[in-house]
Amino acid sequence: MSEQYIITISREFGSLGRPIARRMSEILGIMYYDRDIVEEVSKQLQLPVPTISDVEERAPGSYFSMRFPLGNMTSDLQNKVFRAQQDIITELADRESCIIVGRCADYVLREKENCLNVYIYSDLDDRVARATTYYGLSPERAREQMQKMDKKRASYYNFYTNLKWGRAENYDLSLNSAKVGIDGCVDVIRAFAERMEAVAAEKKA
């Protein structure tokens, strides 16, 4: 891939989204940003990282998101965090080729050319097994944690984008990581991105 490009990765909890982003970063020789964004927001707002982590990816229920526009019935701090993340993501995309994990990056960069939006999901049993192995959780606790995190991410995404988290039409590519693993996902994403670039070049010719 020759021109500057961005890959955004949205993911279910335990679906290997972060390891896939990290592996792609190594292969493509570009940075990937995840917790770095939280740390930068922490600096800008002069608040502890745990405070930012607690606030992000939380949103009111669907009742409030339907009845009230952005900025009403929501935490002022929460909106400040979202706006700060939005500015950081936009700045990164303008500055360099990179991979951005989560935080509505696909929506924030929806007008950006050469942006590939990927959604990573996985079979429930596979995610439970991974959580018990890597995080030391019991199967019951792993299921509870997955439901909690996925609900938070969906609520946050749905509220700030007015789209539905995880719906295929909101992304360019959706992958089941349980079927092909980390390297398989990386291979597919890379091939898709290269083909996307080729099609864009053909349209300009």
Side-chain angles (χ1 to χ4, degrees):
M1 292 179 282
S2 56
E3 296 183 10
Q4 182 174 319
Y5 59 93
I6 310 298
I7 298 172
T8 73
I9 294 183
S10 302
R11 76 285 185 217
E12 291 181 334
F13 180 79
S15 65
L16 294 174
R18 184 177 293 113
I20 289 169
R22 182 166 56 244
R23 183 62 177 147
M24 288 209 66
S25 171
E26 294 169 354
I27 291 176
L28 297 176
I30 61 177
M31 292 293 295
Y32 87 95
Y33 296 97
D34 184 6
R35 297 296 299 174
D36 319 70
I37 296 174
V38 176
E39 293 170 2
E40 182 59 30
V41 171
S42 172
K43 293 177 184 177
Q44 290 186 12
L45 299 184
Q46 298 183 331
L47 291 169
V49 168
T51 299
I52 303 302
S53 296
D54 186 60
V55 168
E56 73 164 354
E57 297 194 348
R58 291 178 183 270
S62 58
Y63 172 77
F64 288 113
S65 64
M66 288 187 293
R67 277 200 63 190
F68 300 97
L70 178 63
N72 292 314
M73 299 302 294
T74 60
S75 161
D76 182 56
L77 176 57
Q78 184 178 49
N79 288 327
K80 286 181 179 178
V81 168
F82 177 78
R83 286 193 292 268
Q85 288 184 342
Q86 184 175 248
D87 290 343
I88 292 167
I89 289 169
T90 301
E91 181 180 345
L92 289 171
D94 288 341
R95 187 179 70 196
E96 61 183 292
S97 292
C98 61
I99 302 161
I100 301 175
V101 180
R103 297 169 182 86
C104 301
D106 58 296
Y107 181 79
V108 171
L109 302 176
R110 62 192 180 280
E111 303 298 333
K112 188 80 173 175
E113 292 186 5
N114 299 327
C115 184
L116 169 58
N117 300 314
V118 180
Y119 182 76
I120 304 294
Y121 65 100
S122 185
D123 300 338
L124 179 60
D125 289 343
D126 184 73
R127 292 199 288 153
V128 170
R130 189 173 297 117
T132 57
T133 300
Y134 290 98
Y135 304 128
L137 301 175
S138 67
E140 295 76 16
R141 178 57 180 158
R143 289 176 185 273
E144 290 176 4
Q145 186 70 0
M146 279 186 284
Q147 291 176 349
K148 177 182 177 181
M149 292 302 297
D150 286 348
K151 184 177 180 180
K152 284 172 58 178
R153 288 172 180 173
S155 178
Y156 178 86
Y157 184 91
N158 297 350
F159 181 76
Y160 281 107
T161 69
N162 288 320
L163 300 175
K164 292 295 183 182
W165 183 74
R167 291 283 293 270
E169 61 265 31
N170 297 331
Y171 310 93
D172 301 307
L173 178 66
S174 296
L175 290 172
N176 185 341
S177 60
K179 301 297 184 183
V180 293
I182 294 174
D183 287 337
C185 285
V186 170
D187 289 343
V188 172
I189 294 170
R190 186 175 185 181
F192 194 96
E194 289 174 346
R195 185 56 190 155
M196 227 172 82
E197 184 182 50
V199 169
E202 291 171 3
K203 289 181 178 179
K204 291 178 181 180

